[in-house]
Amino acid sequence: RGAPSAGGGGGDVPPPSASDPASPPSDPVIRRVRHGDPRVRHAALIALSGTVYGPSLSSSSSASEGGAAGGRASDPSLLRAVSERLLDSDVPTAIAAAGCLANYAASGAGAGEVSDGGAGGEMDVAGEVTAPILLQRVTRSLSSLEEMTASHRDQIAEDAAIPKSQSNETAGNRAKTAFERSWPKTHEQWTLLSLSLLTLAGLVENFPRVLERTGTAALPGLLAVLPLAGATGGLVRAAKESAGDGGDGSIDAGPADDAASHASRALHSLLDENPRLVSSMPVSVPDAAGGNRAPSLSSASAGLGSAASDPGAGDACRLHASGALLA
């Protein structure tokens, strides 16, 4: 693990002050989640992923069925603190937070409860804090992965130019290629994005208020995942072919494939459950418009159609992309 960070929150989201009612200073779990040392934050979130936000939570349909753990998972202060860590500068910590939230979103814990309008309720946190942070996480991960993908293209070209006599003398005695050396960071970023998209899909499906609030803000990022994941799969195949029998088997596009499946699932649910969203989308938008504005029906249909017909995409990705098209 890396050295402790300098800041008190250790990430891009500053922790609330001690006077903030959403951050009880006496709660030791929240203090650890917001600790200045990334090792402490990571350990706290790993512990939560096996207890409060463990897999058993996602098998329950409500907080009441989940017992004490389900009730604690819906605690607004804890949910807010864990959500903040999605933007943690320490990627393993952000991954651990995304794992916790993916189980929470899948469980729908507290989603059936009607909020009394009070600030800080779990429905408010899911819609006003968790979902917007997830969209920021998706945007940041996409930006990082786009840069990594461009770099990988150059690396594969450079690796391919190295004579086999220099790069692949024997399968057991071979220096790693530039692609292989840099791939772990890319794999890590795809894992973070995949879990974030899994969380977003669960929130859209199980939390009606998140569905209402998310709207068009989620569409650009979700649609952008599909071609990028496809490009990553192509690069991985090219890298494996270049390595030949000398490859060490450490390169796989699993997290990218999973991210594409989760993105298409989120799109399917978002469009299927929100017909007003489809009707609000313009038929076409000039490419120069750019930004995070709502995509046009024509561009969204083209992207989903490509994913649905891509033989390299997984079955779940093609299925949900087809469902989104029908919506």
Side-chain angles (χ1 to χ4, degrees):
R1 304 285 304 162
S5 62
D12 296 304
V13 179
S17 64
S19 60
D20 187 339
S23 177
S26 60
D27 191 315
V29 175
I30 293 177
R31 286 206 308 271
R32 292 190 186 98
V33 170
R34 288 175 169 154
H35 199 278
D37 188 336
R39 294 167 296 188
V40 175
R41 299 196 301 273
H42 182 261
L45 289 163
I46 289 296
L48 286 171
S49 70
T51 53
V52 175
Y53 293 106
S56 60
L57 177 66
S58 61
S59 65
S60 302
S61 60
S62 67
S64 59
E65 291 178 3
R72 178 60 165 149
S74 297
D75 178 81
S77 300
L78 181 58
L79 184 57
R80 182 183 297 269
V82 174
S83 298
E84 290 169 356
R85 298 274 62 82
L86 283 170
L87 299 180
D88 202 294
S89 56
D90 181 64
V91 177
T93 296
I95 290 174
C100 291
L101 293 171
N103 284 335
Y104 172 76
S107 74
E113 299 175 9
V114 179
S115 173
D116 61 3
E122 63 276 355
M123 290 290 288
D124 296 318
V125 173
E128 297 179 6
V129 178
T130 307
I133 290 178
L134 274 170
L135 297 184
Q136 291 183 60
R137 178 68 269 163
V138 170
T139 298
R140 294 185 185 189
S141 289
L142 281 171
S143 179
S144 296
L145 286 166
E146 286 168 356
E147 294 179 2
M148 291 174 174
T149 299
S151 177
H152 286 323
R153 288 194 181 98
D154 294 337
Q155 291 166 350
I156 290 176
E158 293 171 2
D159 293 337
I162 300 175
K164 291 291 183 180
S165 59
Q166 297 179 24
S167 64
N168 193 21
E169 290 87 353
T170 65
N173 182 24
R174 181 181 66 89
K176 286 191 175 183
T177 64
F179 183 95
E180 289 173 325
R181 290 193 298 271
S182 61
W183 177 250
K185 291 293 184 182
T186 305
H187 188 279
E188 188 178 59
Q189 196 65 235
W190 271 115
T191 299
L192 174 55
L193 179 58
S194 175
L195 287 171
S196 298
L197 292 168
L198 178 61
T199 302
L200 183 59
L203 289 179
V204 168
E205 292 167 356
N206 297 319
F207 291 77
R209 191 169 299 183
V210 172
L211 176 64
E212 295 170 4
R213 292 177 183 274
T214 303
T216 59
L219 293 179
L222 291 173
L223 288 167
V225 170
L226 303 178
L228 187 59
T232 297
L235 289 173
V236 167
R237 289 190 292 272
K240 287 183 175 180
E241 291 174 3
S242 178
D245 294 336
D248 62 4
S250 63
I251 301 174
D252 78 276
D257 294 338
D258 291 342
S261 295
H262 300 328
S264 61
R265 171 186 159 192
L267 283 164
H268 186 185
S269 298
L270 193 64
L271 296 173
D272 196 41
E273 299 295 334
N274 194 354
R276 288 181 299 176
L277 176 59
V278 178
S279 62
S280 69
M281 295 170 66
V283 175
S284 62
V285 174
D287 292 338
N292 281 332
R293 61 185 301 166
S296 66
L297 284 171
S298 58
S299 64
S301 297
L304 289 168
S306 295
S309 59
D310 182 3
D315 292 341
C317 178
R318 294 199 301 271
L319 175 65
H320 284 298
S322 299
L325 278 171
L326 293 176

